[in-house]
Amino acid sequence: MSAAKRNRMRLIEDRLQQIACSPCADGTINPIRKLVDQLPIRPNPDKSFLKLSIGDPSVFGNFEPPAEVKNAVRDVLSGSCQGYEPAHGMIVAREAIARYYTTPASPLTFEDVYITSGCSDALRIAMDCIGTPTKHIILPKPGFSLYQTIAGNRGIPTKFYNLIPEKNWEIDLVELESLIDENTAAILVTNPSNPCGSAFSVKHQLEILSIAEKYGVPIIADEIYQGMVFEGESHSFGELSKNVPVLSAGGLAKRWLVPGWRVGWLVVHDRHQRLSAVRGGLVKLCQVIIGANTLIQAAIPRILSDTPPEFYSSTLSRLKNAADIVYAELKGVPQLKAFMPQGAMYMMVQIKVDQLADIEDDMKFVETLITEESVFPLPAGIFGIPNFVRLVLTVPEDILREACRRMAQFCDRHKRKH
Ligand SMILES: Cc1ncc(COP(=O)(O)O)c(C=O)c1O
């Protein structure tokens, strides 16, 4: 046998042993899912496991979508939604979403709407369509970790602007401006915010838009929590923008409490037709998976028109009540500082590690808390900010109180003795 043939045989034999994972797949990391799905720590077997970690309002059965939303899906079952539809969405659904988000200042048509498989997919498509290996996207810190997952997977470079906790997590605008250069593809903003639970004032939104306008940079707005603010109104960046192109990502997951239904959308606000080429790209990227679930798409017109306004207001008052409970429970714990949210479904709590004896950071805090108290908040290092944890507010009241009580006891046990 020739050396070349022997070599080929050996390569084939190797392949029969192990199929290699591609570097692209291997390097794709979603830190939240990694921690939550493959938790390496065992909770204390003597205490019930209280998970305040995952932003899924359906987990405990206490936040249900309204009957009108379920009926809308039940009724389309008898129709004909079994087939493929245009990959960027059914026209009836796109029209309904355009109607829902149209304002006098920002009129939309179905052509401005692209339906996606959840908001995650809308973000993937938006980032993929605008970012390139030489053009970076500027992300929030702390920020939803999926942005980095997507950027890493697509080879899009990133930069980060800081959010300031003491200013209701507003953006450090001076820093944001300093990060923009000729290779900036987009600024990504999240409003209201996961993980911070913050909601920007209109004044702050206009300040951000004015920086983007100065440098001609488009905005990707993750607005999955739009409308979910405890007080005052909620405005999308697209609605407020006069000159900046805005790609607004949204979906059914949070406001309608159905994350598992996996339908989201991208709404393009582009008053000066600067995104004509991008629109073509969005359609092409939607075609990669041939579109989102058609059953849910077909129900969208009724989901949007039939959801009673009281459903939205009661969800928000329950979330605000949960935030008030956590804030009050943790107020007297010297080693923790809770930051009151203005919207979404999360609360950030700072860990004063210098006041704890053997806890050097948020990861150690969470690991030890799980082992001793069976309480699982997310370490906010995952979101890019050290020594905070993120609590989810859709957890039933009694579990929230118990979790806070155990955190207080934990901090007392581990407090640094001077
Ligand atoms: C800020 C933010 N964007 C996007 C998503 C993803 O939404 P979807 O479940 O519709 O993909 C989430 C989910 O937690 C989120 O918090």
Side-chain angles (χ1 to χ4, degrees):
M1 200 188 294
S2 71
K5 193 161 179 201
R6 250 198 325 274
N7 204 19
R8 237 183 56 231
M9 290 298 290
R10 206 177 29 109
L11 285 176
I12 290 170
E13 269 166 28
D14 282 354
R15 199 173 327 135
L16 288 175
Q17 306 282 324
Q18 267 300 328
I19 310 293
C21 172
S22 74
C24 169
D26 202 33
T28 300
I29 293 162
N30 182 332
I32 299 184
R33 297 302 334 185
K34 193 169 169 215
L35 189 66
V36 171
D37 296 346
Q38 303 157 11
L39 184 67
I41 320 286
R42 294 283 134 250
N44 180 341
D46 299 329
K47 295 190 178 186
S48 55
F49 193 20
L50 310 181
K51 293 187 197 168
L52 315 184
S53 48
I54 190 91
D56 178 349
S58 72
V59 167
F60 293 92
N62 56 333
F63 277 91
E64 277 281 294
E68 289 81 354
V69 165
K70 290 185 178 174
N71 292 344
V73 177
R74 185 199 59 203
D75 293 347
V76 291
L77 254 180
S78 52
S80 53
C81 317
Q82 281 74 256
Y84 291 123
E85 291 287 343
H88 52 304
M90 294 168 80
I91 291 193
V92 283
R94 296 169 68 202
E95 279 172 344
I97 294 164
R99 259 195 316 276
Y100 193 76
Y101 288 115
T102 281
T103 63
S106 175
L108 298 162
T109 76
F110 77 93
E111 294 188 316
D112 300 313
V113 179
Y114 302 77
I115 299 189
T116 55
S117 183
C119 179
S120 310
D121 192 36
L123 291 163
R124 178 185 66 83
I125 286 169
M127 290 175 71
D128 204 4
C129 215
I130 291 193
T132 72
T134 55
K135 293 198 129 214
H136 59 260
I137 298 182
I138 311 184
L139 302 176
K141 191 158 130 186
F144 185 46
S145 49
L146 184 76
Y147 311 141
Q148 268 178 281
T149 308
I150 296 169
N153 175 267
R154 313 309 300 156
I156 302 167
T158 49
K159 291 186 181 181
F160 294 90
Y161 59 82
N162 281 293
L163 303 173
I164 308 166
E166 293 75 19
K167 288 182 75 186
N168 282 337
W169 303 98
E170 282 193 348
I171 297 178
D172 181 337
L173 295 171
V174 175
E175 183 190 29
L176 173 66
E177 189 162 354
S178 75
L179 296 171
I180 301 173
D181 64 25
E182 66 284 8
N183 290 319
T184 303
I187 300 167
L188 193 149
V189 290
T190 318
N191 189 52
S193 160
N194 175 11
C196 307
S198 52
F200 294 148
S201 65
V202 168
K203 175 174 170 284
H204 193 55
Q205 286 181 278
L206 293 174
E207 286 167 344
I208 299 161
L209 281 164
S210 133
I211 292 178
E213 181 171 351
K214 183 166 161 193
Y215 295 94
V217 177
I219 286 186
I220 298 173
D222 182 347
E223 300 185 316
I224 185 76
Y225 299 98
Q226 202 201 325
M228 298 183 73
V229 298
F230 302 149
E231 267 166 36
E233 289 179 358
S234 173
H235 295 277
S236 88
F237 273 86
E239 176 194 342
L240 297 176
S241 167
K242 290 200 174 68
N243 299 314
V244 178
V246 176
L247 294 121
S248 166
L252 292 177
K254 309 293 172 163
R255 202 161 183 222
W256 289 270
L257 308 174
V258 288
W261 289 9
R262 308 309 303 137
V263 172
W265 46 76
L266 200 61
V267 178
V268 173
H269 301 258
D270 183 26
R271 309 236 174 122
H272 305 290
Q273 285 78 46
R274 287 184 52 212
L275 293 176
S276 306
V278 168
R279 285 171 186 268
L282 295 176
V283 174
K284 289 181 187 171
L285 291 178
C286 288
Q287 289 169 349
V288 173
I289 62 157
I290 324 180
N293 181 321
T294 52
L295 194 61
I296 306 298
Q297 287 196 57
I300 283 181
R302 276 193 43 207
I303 292 177
L304 299 187
S305 64
D306 294 4
T307 301
E310 309 78 62
F311 163 75
Y312 301 124
S313 51
S314 114
T315 306
L316 285 173
S317 75
R318 291 175 61 205
L319 289 169
K320 166 81 168 61
N321 182 48
D324 287 340
I325 289 174
V326 176
Y327 193 82
E329 293 276 346
L330 298 184
K331 206 158 180 249
V333 182
Q335 297 80 15
L336 300 178
K337 177 171 164 46
F339 285 75
M340 193 62 191
Q342 293 92 49
M345 43 179 70
Y346 311 98
M347 184 154 182
M348 289 283 259
V349 176
Q350 189 171 22
I351 310 156
K352 299 180 191 162
V353 283
D354 57 334
Q355 297 189 31
L356 292 163
D358 46 0
I359 305 286
E360 65 274 13
D361 60 16
D362 49 318
M363 188 52 99
K364 180 77 178 169
F365 180 88
V366 170
E367 281 173 4
T368 322
L369 189 65
I370 294 175
T371 315
E372 295 180 10
E373 296 291 344
S374 294
V375 176
F376 182 16
L378 267 194
I382 279 182
F383 304 109
I385 188 165
N387 300 337
F388 276 81
V389 285
R390 186 201 73 176
L391 311 188
V392 169
L393 297 173
T394 50
V395 175
E397 235 182 271
D398 54 334
I399 299 186
L400 265 187
R401 286 188 196 280
E402 173 66 11
C404 290
R405 206 178 50 75
R406 290 193 205 167
M407 277 200 280
Q409 286 170 354
F410 175 87
C411 285
D412 193 50
R413 237 182 8 256
H414 288 268
K415 72 178 174 226
R416 189 180 287 280
K417 302 200 176 54
H418 296 291

